[in-house]
Structure formats: structure tokens, C-alpha cells
Amino acid sequence: GTTLGASAAEKGRYFGTAVAASRLSDSAYTTILNREFNQVTPENEMKIDATEPQQNQFSYGNADRIVAHARANGMQVRGHTLAWHAQQPGWMQNMSGTALRNAMLNHITQVATHFRGQVAWWDVVNEAFADGGSGGRRDSNLQRTGNDWIEAAFRAADAADPNAQLCYNDYNTDNWTDAKTQGVYRMVQDFKQRGVPIDCVGFQSHFTGGSNYPPNYRTTLSSFAALGVDVHITELDIRNAPADAYRNVTNDCLAVPRCKGITVWGIRDSDSWRSGESPLLFNGSGQKKAAYDAVLAALNSG
Ligand code: G3I
């Protein structure tokens, strides 16, 4: 293939990017988007504060615009995200207990129903585990509603859209020996054993390069896959975009049959949440960087 998406497709994968609705009017941006990518994740437009800014008043305009663009251009959509401790609207930040649990479940039901049939994968729950050595859950208002909030979220999403693939998504879960990685692994193992409807795990993969890209990343991906879930690289960016690191990440995904695809967290460096680190595949002028060539070559090798 001559583009990321077409080359990934030849390997039975997708290659996607985060998309911002505000940039869909930028033709330099959409030219690259439409040429290179066959999957999109709305960067902010499906978050709780965007879709339910007032309780029970849902707002889908920007998310719908991204979904329409994706469908018109044959791109699959990853929904991001139904339940998260961050980017909560003010009304939700101030809730707790049973009222918050019910508001979360209602949010999941409403949003997953709205996008039923249009979202291939949902990040049902995002970033629920703590950093550091505990291997346990992150404290949050959602966690304080009871440890079963994550499985309740997955069951609600499954009921609303039985055909979507339901993922747990997190960061700093890349090094197989880290306590956080092991904590998520044990949760997924437990969910599979008890029949909680989880289909996939997303590895955000916001790397700083060097030692932040662990040599055992492939082991992490394959170990989760062995639990019977698909794995996805969901928000890839790497400080200074070293071509070697991008090549290795691509090869690690290709080496794991259940690694379904890679999503980079933006198109041009100027589109990135960490634009000061130039972490993406295209520079601010939309030109391909060395990392782009490395990824394309890896997708086309073997
Ligand atoms: O759109 C408003 C603008 O109107 C306002 O003037 C401005 C002032 O603050 O804010 C703008 O919204 C910002 C939004 O990005 C769009 O640019 C928010 O403040 C800002 O918080 C938001 O940041 C996003 C961040 O998630 C929020 O948590 C980033 O774009 C987005 O890349 C980032 O993505 C997260 C994933 O969802 C989860 N994993 C980590 C990843 C990176 O942090």
C-alpha cells in the first residue's frame, strides 16, 4: 500500500487518528485525513462534558459531524469515552453515590444508543487504574460509587449496543511488569471468567521515547490477547517521533494477531495535545516525517 490505512488493511488492521471536529473545515487537514487513515477517534467530542453538558440534555452535534465524515469516507469510528473521572460536566462532578451511579448508567445508555451501529468500538471506561505501585483503582467519584462500577458500565453499554466492541482503555499499562499493567490484566481476566461483556483493551501509548517505550510491550499486548480480548493501540504519540520507536510499535502490533490496529493521537504536530514535543507523523506543514516512512515501511514488510 501507499498510505497508512491501505497498508494496514492489507495486514487485516486499521490505521487511524484522533480527529477534532473544529479542524474538519481545514482542507490541509482533511486532505491528509482522507488520504491516509481508515479509522477515527473523536479527540474530545464524545466525552461526557461534550455529550451531556446539562444532565439529561444531550448534545451530539460535533460528534455527529465526525461520524458523518468518517462514514462518508469509509472510516471506522472508535467512541471515546463513556465513563471517565475526567472531562465530567459540572453537574456530574458534584454528584456521588447512587445518584451518580444512575447518572453514569443513563449517560452510557443514551450515548451508546444514539451511536448504535455507527461506532465499531467503545472505550467504555477510561483510565480507572491508579499510577504507581498499588495496582489498584484510581480514586474518583465513580470509584466511590462501588468497585463494581466498571462492570456495571460494560453491562449498560452491551445492553445499549450489543454489536459494538467494548474496550477498557488506559495509559502507563505498556510495561508488562508494572503494577498498573498487572492490575488491569487481573481485572480483564476476572471479567472474562465471570462473563462481564468486555471485548478489547486499549493501550493509549503516549510515549516519551527511550525507556518509556518498554522492550516488553509486545509481551504486554500478547498477554492480554491471550485472555481472549482484542488489543488496540489507541492514542499513539512519541516525544520527538523517533522513527525507530514508531517502527517498533508498528511491528509489535503486527506480531500479535489480536492487535487490530493503531490510532495516532492527531495528524500534524500542530494538532497534538503535546505539540511542543512534535510527537506525530506529519509536521505542522502536513509533510511526512521520518517516522511516517518507518511506519509505512513496517506495515508493508513481511
Ligand atoms: O475548546 C475549548 C476552547 O473553547 C477553550 O477556549 C479552551 C480553553 O481552555 O479549551 C478548549 O477545550 C480544550 C480541548 O482540549 C480542546 O482543545 C480543553 O480545555 C482541554 O482540556 C482539552 O484537552 C484534551 C484532553 O484530552 C482533556 O482531557 C485534549 O485535547 C485531548 O487530546 C486529551 O486526550 C486525552 C484522552 O482523551 C485520554 N488519554 C489522554 C489524552 C491526552 O491527555
Side-chain angles (χ1 to χ4, degrees):
T2 59
T3 65
L4 300 171
S7 302
E10 288 170 6
K11 293 279 163 62
R13 291 356 191 250
Y14 63 79
F15 205 100
T17 180
V19 163
S22 61
R23 291 192 159 85
L24 290 176
S25 55
D26 172 350
S27 66
Y29 179 87
T30 55
T31 296
I32 304 172
L33 171 63
N34 298 348
R35 186 186 70 218
E36 296 288 344
F37 297 100
N38 55 12
Q39 182 273 336
V40 298
T41 304
E43 187 173 359
N44 289 297
E45 294 79 355
M46 288 187 182
K47 292 175 179 175
I48 313 172
D49 59 354
T51 51
E52 195 178 355
Q54 305 294 330
Q55 188 168 16
N56 263 314
Q57 294 179 19
F58 292 85
S59 166
Y60 296 118
N62 284 330
D64 284 344
R65 273 185 273 283
I66 294 176
V67 170
H69 187 96
R71 288 169 70 82
N73 291 280
M75 303 162 176
Q76 290 184 285
V77 178
R78 175 182 206 86
H80 174 80
T81 174
L82 294 171
W84 191 19
H85 68 276
Q87 299 295 110
Q88 291 182 2
W91 63 265
M92 184 179 273
Q93 292 176 31
N94 293 324
M95 290 181 85
S96 64
T98 304
L100 173 60
R101 174 68 67 94
N102 288 337
M104 177 194 83
L105 296 174
N106 179 59
H107 179 83
I108 293 169
T109 300
Q110 295 295 325
V111 177
T113 298
H114 177 82
F115 291 107
R116 182 162 51 203
Q118 310 195 358
V119 165
W121 310 273
W122 269 113
D123 289 334
V124 177
V125 171
N126 194 41
E127 301 176 359
F129 276 71
D131 292 312
S134 77
R137 299 286 182 83
R138 173 196 296 278
D139 179 51
S140 72
N141 60 348
L142 293 170
Q143 180 63 30
R144 291 192 291 270
T145 70
N147 204 51
D148 63 342
W149 73 277
I150 297 181
E151 62 192 85
F154 275 85
R155 292 189 199 281
D158 185 51
D161 188 352
N163 292 323
Q165 297 277 298
L166 305 180
C167 303
Y168 176 78
N169 191 55
D170 214 329
Y171 66 90
N172 282 352
T173 49
D174 317 293
N175 192 320
W176 177 237
T177 63
D178 279 357
K180 186 173 180 180
T181 309
Q182 292 295 314
V184 175
Y185 179 85
R186 284 191 297 272
M187 179 188 74
V188 175
Q189 186 176 48
D190 170 56
F191 281 12
K192 294 300 287 184
Q193 285 170 352
R194 292 192 294 112
V196 178
I198 185 168
D199 303 297
C200 39
V201 175
F203 297 84
Q204 293 184 12
S205 308
H206 295 293
F207 295 136
T208 50
S211 60
N212 190 252
Y213 170 58
N216 59 22
Y217 185 62
R218 189 181 296 191
T219 299
T220 302
L221 298 178
S222 62
S223 298
F224 275 84
L227 293 174
V229 290
D230 289 335
V231 295
H232 298 250
I233 297 171
T234 53
E235 305 182 14
L236 179 63
D237 51 21
I238 312 178
R239 180 182 294 163
N240 298 323
D244 280 352
Y246 265 105
R247 176 186 306 111
N248 291 340
V249 170
T250 305
N251 284 331
D252 288 344
C253 181
L254 292 174
V256 177
R258 293 197 80 143
C259 182
K260 294 299 179 181
I262 299 173
T263 306
V264 288
W265 206 239
I267 297 178
R268 303 162 301 193
D269 288 332
S270 49
D271 302 315
S272 172
W273 70 297
R274 35 196 313 209
S275 57
E277 301 179 10
S278 304
L280 294 174
L281 301 178
F282 296 87
N283 69 18
S285 307
Q287 291 164 326
K288 297 169 182 173
K289 297 164 60 178
Y292 172 97
D293 298 328
V295 169
L296 186 68
L299 291 172
N300 282 308
S301 73

